[in-house]
Amino acid sequence: MDQPFRARMLPIAILLLLSSAGLAKSQGFDFYVLSLSWSPTYCATQKGPSRSPQCSGDEGFRFVVHGLWPQHERGYPEYCRSQGPQRVPRSVGKIVFDIMPSMGLIGHQWRKHGSCSGLTQRGYFDATRQAFERIRIPPKLSEGGVRLTLPAAEIERSFVAANPGMSTSGIAISCEGQRLKEIRICLTKEFRFRDCAEVDRGGCRLDRVELPPAE
């Protein structure tokens, strides 16, 4: 190889090295947000033969996992480059069907969020289950058989009361109009409760939040 060619290749190699280092840094994160979706609110928008499997069976889902999201103190990474495949095989997805009942949702969550976790697909969904099982759903909110209307602050307080170590600064309510959409709970990488100012600031503050009943 002649010297001029070597000289031209050296800056390219340096750029590739820096790019790889930047990619690795971008995939780091500070904590997780576990997002629990109130299934009856989602299913109220699903009509016709193309309804999600989440809404077309007899299970009557209440809270299901929307996703486990790697998070920065400000902002979050998404669609990270990973060694794993983009597609999630059904053999992996089925391990969380009881809490995440849609292969479409499972695949999307892996591509957008799981790819930034540094975990394999199986490891990410195992972590999702571990995070879900860390949470105790307040009895009043777990029944789902009747329509409830509560202040957002009361929903937060009921979760805090049911989960020692959680604070109202580490949970946020998400609303869709007047309906409860999601509960977002901040967890360390070891699945301990923690505060999260940016997530908390984005929470719904309505005095009347409706929880449609499970069908």
Side-chain angles (χ1 to χ4, degrees):
M1 186 181 293
D2 62 79
Q3 291 300 319
F5 184 76
R6 288 176 184 270
R8 290 196 301 272
M9 289 299 295
L10 185 59
I12 295 174
I14 292 172
L15 286 173
L16 288 173
L17 182 62
L18 291 173
S19 175
S20 297
L23 177 63
K25 183 178 180 181
S26 72
Q27 292 190 21
F29 63 99
D30 298 311
F31 61 97
Y32 285 117
V33 171
L34 176 67
S35 179
L36 301 178
S37 171
W38 182 245
S39 186
T41 294
Y42 170 72
C43 291
T45 67
Q46 300 289 302
K47 305 295 181 185
S50 62
R51 296 184 83 195
S52 165
Q54 175 180 335
C55 307
S56 57
D58 298 324
E59 291 84 355
F61 288 107
R62 278 75 166 174
F63 281 108
V64 298
V65 175
H66 180 180
L68 181 67
W69 305 337
Q71 194 87 9
H72 298 311
E73 297 297 345
R74 296 184 65 182
Y76 55 89
E78 60 180 351
Y79 296 109
C80 298
R81 189 183 304 168
S82 74
Q83 297 299 317
Q86 292 285 300
R87 181 180 174 276
V88 178
R90 191 174 183 86
S91 60
V92 173
K94 70 179 182 181
I95 68 174
V96 289
F97 275 175
D98 58 321
I99 60 172
M100 209 172 181
S102 165
M103 279 303 300
L105 172 63
I106 287 167
H108 175 70
Q109 290 301 308
W110 164 253
R111 288 186 292 274
K112 184 173 182 179
H113 300 288
S115 62
C116 301
S117 68
L119 300 171
T120 63
Q121 287 184 351
R122 179 61 187 254
Y124 173 69
F125 291 109
D126 283 344
T128 299
R129 178 174 295 282
Q130 188 175 349
F132 178 78
E133 291 179 350
R134 177 72 175 86
I135 309 303
R136 184 172 184 271
I137 305 298
K140 184 176 182 179
L141 303 181
S142 64
E143 296 172 359
V146 297
R147 188 178 305 273
L148 294 176
T149 302
L150 300 167
E154 183 175 336
I155 297 173
E156 285 192 2
R157 288 194 297 269
S158 67
F159 268 87
V160 170
N163 293 274
M166 183 187 292
S167 81
T168 55
S169 297
I171 181 173
I173 306 301
S174 173
C175 298
E176 187 173 279
Q178 297 287 323
R179 292 173 172 171
L180 175 66
K181 181 179 180 182
E182 294 176 353
I183 308 288
R184 296 174 181 172
I185 300 168
C186 298
L187 300 165
T188 68
K189 295 178 184 180
E190 296 74 36
F191 306 116
R192 293 191 296 268
F193 298 120
R194 57 154 288 168
D195 293 349
C196 44
E198 183 178 68
V199 175
D200 182 52
R201 281 196 299 270
C204 169
R205 310 293 183 188
L206 294 177
D207 290 332
R208 291 177 59 82
V209 177
E210 180 185 333
L211 284 74
E215 295 180 357

